[in-house]
Amino acid sequence: MFRETVLLFSVSLWAAANAATLPCVNNGKCGCDVKDPSKNNATVTTVDLNRVTSQDGTKPYFDAPGAGGYDYMINPCMPLDLGDPCNPKQEAMGCQVSKGNKYGIGRVDHLDWSMNNSVIQAHFQTDPSDKNARQTFLLIHCHEPGTGPDKPTLKFLTEGPGGHYWLDMELPDEYCKPVQPSKKTGTSSGLSVGSVILICLLVVIVLYLSIGMVFKKVRMGATGMEIIPNRDFWGGLPGLLKVWLP
């Protein structure tokens, strides 16, 4: 008994630890979705970096000052157009810029997602096959209403060895909301399978009683309570339910 109790406790701790940090799954649209298994895998958070992307590659959405006199131009979902090597040809989403120097620090088409302790991480690489290639890590924080900034912000954190750049992105609550399905797209009404079966059963019962009553009245000349088909069964149904149901 003791061993089973310890095992159950360990499994409970493991489940709680895994429930605390849910994966953020790449949705293929420059964003990721956090799904909660306890809510039938419903999407509880959606990070869409398109909302923090400028459509003009010459004007990055973010310009974060960093160490050593460098600025970090970040435009997550649309290639920058700041001159070689930060140009559309290189699919550059980020550019490290100083006077006379530019370095691409990630491509829009090399994006991976992960999550750790409720912090969502967007990882952009310039060349996945080269471990020494420059890479950018965006640590994305989704804030509850009234607890964070009024608009998206980006702050340079540090530069790691091998050209790894870490930046902190703060997003207001409305930037992390799940996308609500449009009513015009013919989405599901939300009825469960059990609800559909119950509705169908009620429709069948109503049709059965209606047709049966008409038949007994017209063909058999029944009157009063006698027109109800299988009247004895329906009369005894409450008693049967009382026996069947606890």
Side-chain angles (χ1 to χ4, degrees):
M1 181 66 180
F2 177 76
R3 187 173 67 176
E4 285 80 5
T5 303
V6 172
L7 179 61
L8 179 60
F9 181 71
S10 301
V11 172
S12 300
L13 286 178
W14 177 87
N18 280 271
T21 303
L22 303 174
C24 201
V25 182
N26 191 340
N27 59 25
K29 302 174 183 178
C30 200
C32 73
D33 301 323
V34 179
K35 299 182 181 294
D36 191 344
S38 67
K39 299 179 180 179
N40 294 322
N41 282 325
T43 299
V44 294
T45 302
T46 290
V47 174
D48 183 5
L49 294 182
N50 289 286
R51 299 187 63 183
V52 289
T53 296
S54 170
Q55 298 304 306
D56 183 352
T58 64
K59 300 176 181 180
Y61 193 95
F62 295 107
D63 181 356
Y70 283 98
D71 286 333
Y72 292 83
M73 311 290 187
I74 303 295
N75 207 47
C77 304
M78 176 89 49
L80 294 169
D81 193 5
L82 303 176
D84 192 52
C86 304
N87 56 34
K89 183 179 180 181
Q90 301 296 328
E91 295 286 341
M93 54 68 58
C95 191
Q96 184 189 38
V97 181
S98 69
K99 293 182 179 180
N101 294 312
K102 294 178 185 176
Y103 303 97
I105 56 175
R107 293 170 57 106
V108 296
D109 54 349
H110 293 327
L111 168 60
D112 295 309
W113 292 90
S114 61
M115 190 167 182
N116 185 26
N117 295 328
S118 300
V119 178
I120 298 170
Q121 178 177 287
H123 176 206
F124 294 89
Q125 302 180 72
T126 52
D127 184 358
S129 64
D130 183 1
K131 294 182 179 180
N132 296 320
R134 297 173 187 268
Q135 305 176 39
T136 296
F137 298 86
L138 300 182
L139 304 183
I140 302 171
H141 303 267
C142 292
H143 290 278
E144 295 292 331
T147 63
D150 295 331
K151 61 181 181 179
T153 63
L154 188 70
K155 181 175 70 173
F156 175 81
L157 293 178
T158 187
E159 177 181 349
H164 292 189
Y165 307 96
W166 301 81
L167 297 101
D168 195 68
M169 181 181 290
E170 307 277 345
L171 294 179
D173 176 68
E174 62 266 24
Y175 283 77
C176 300
K177 293 289 188 183
V179 178
Q180 298 298 325
S182 171
K183 294 182 179 180
K184 298 180 180 181
T185 59
T187 54
S188 170
S189 62
L191 292 176
S192 66
V193 175
S195 299
V196 173
I197 293 175
L198 182 60
I199 292 172
C200 292
L201 181 60
L202 290 174
V203 170
V204 170
I205 290 174
V206 170
L207 288 175
Y208 167 79
L209 290 174
S210 301
I211 295 173
M213 292 169 69
V214 171
F215 177 83
K216 292 192 70 175
K217 183 176 180 63
V218 175
R219 298 296 299 269
M220 302 177 65
T223 58
M225 298 294 290
E226 295 297 329
I227 67 173
I228 300 176
N230 293 311
R231 182 166 64 93
D232 293 338
F233 168 78
W234 297 110
L237 185 59
L240 292 173
L241 292 176
K242 193 172 182 180
V243 173
W244 291 341
L245 298 177

